[in-house]
Amino acid sequence: MARPLIQLAIDLLDFDAVVALATEVAPYVDIFEIGTPSIKHNGVTLVKELRAKFPDKLLLVDLKTMDAGEYEATPFYAAGADIVTVLGVSGLPTIAGVIKAANAFGAEAQIDLINVENKVACARASAEAGGQIVGIHTGLDAQAAGHTPFSDLNEIARLGLNVRISVAGGIKASTVQDVVKAGANIVVVGAAIYGAPSPAEAAREIRELVDATEV
């Protein structure tokens, strides 16, 4: 398996704080995720700013599109996003719209399986439709109720689909190697980095742990 990518989920609302955090941890992460709260607050301007400042990083816009897939995703791909997310619960027509927009820009679509009842069926259908990434996502509310992404990750990884698997949901230094061993291609870390006393040091630790994991 190729070296897993580390994605930093940035949910900060303050524009300058997002840019400052990205600058601090840039040596250790591969993907900057403009989280849903951040993209709702800052819009396409933030995508353009990060694209200009970090041409060598992948940018993911966590749009969580629920309808009008192609129409919603297109401006963000045009602004420089490499990946835009669409909700699996939106249904195949919406998913296909985001995939179409992604293909038009030589980019990727990620199908987020959060709250999808039959994750296996949705992952299979998304892969068949041409989706490039499937997101195993345990949301904040589910985490608070004690849920983790591991069972879903194991189930999806066993399918052997022609997609990359992204995993998000409370991942930290103590669990990141288990996530990689379970089959994650993209490891999403949020609060464990941006909430740390030194985000750069936390990101460096995660990077070293991921790179040292044998799969």
Side-chain angles (χ1 to χ4, degrees):
M1 187 174 77
R3 170 179 175 267
L5 302 180
I6 296 175
Q7 177 174 314
L8 173 63
I10 308 176
D11 291 327
L12 305 175
L13 299 183
D14 183 86
F15 188 102
D16 293 336
V18 171
V19 176
L21 176 62
T23 301
E24 184 177 357
V25 304
Y28 310 109
V29 304
D30 306 291
I31 305 172
F32 288 135
E33 171 191 332
I34 306 174
T36 310
S38 188
I39 198 63
K40 285 182 176 180
H41 190 71
N42 293 293
V44 74
T45 303
L46 182 55
V47 181
K48 292 179 179 178
E49 179 75 8
L50 292 178
R51 179 77 291 151
K53 285 186 174 295
F54 304 101
D56 60 331
K57 299 296 180 184
L58 295 172
L59 292 184
L60 180 146
V61 173
D62 194 15
L63 204 57
K64 289 192 178 76
T65 291
M66 185 64 182
D67 190 23
E70 182 182 4
Y71 185 71
E72 282 200 0
T74 292
F76 295 94
Y77 286 123
D82 298 288
I83 307 163
V84 172
T85 67
V86 55
L87 292 174
V89 295
S90 69
L92 275 177
T94 302
I95 291 169
V98 176
I99 293 170
K100 181 179 178 182
N103 291 340
F105 286 90
E108 295 181 297
Q110 177 171 313
I111 295 81
D112 187 335
L113 300 183
I114 189 170
N115 293 335
V116 170
E117 186 172 348
N118 190 333
K119 291 178 171 58
V120 167
C122 184
R124 282 195 174 121
S126 298
E128 290 171 2
Q132 294 92 348
I133 305 170
V134 169
I136 309 298
H137 184 185
T138 303
L140 291 175
D141 294 337
Q143 290 176 48
H147 298 290
T148 72
F150 283 102
S151 61
D152 293 333
L153 170 57
N154 290 329
E155 195 171 27
I156 298 300
R158 284 197 298 266
L159 299 176
L161 301 173
N162 186 31
V163 295
R164 289 188 290 169
I165 301 174
S166 171
V167 182
I171 297 170
K172 51 192 174 183
S174 62
T175 59
V176 68
Q177 289 189 314
D178 292 332
V179 173
V180 173
K181 289 175 182 176
N185 309 108
I186 301 170
V187 180
V188 184
V189 184
I193 291 177
Y194 67 69
S198 170
E201 178 61 23
R204 182 194 61 77
E205 181 183 10
I206 295 287
R207 173 87 274 163
E208 290 179 353
L209 287 168
V210 169
D211 290 348
T213 306
E214 294 184 8
V215 292

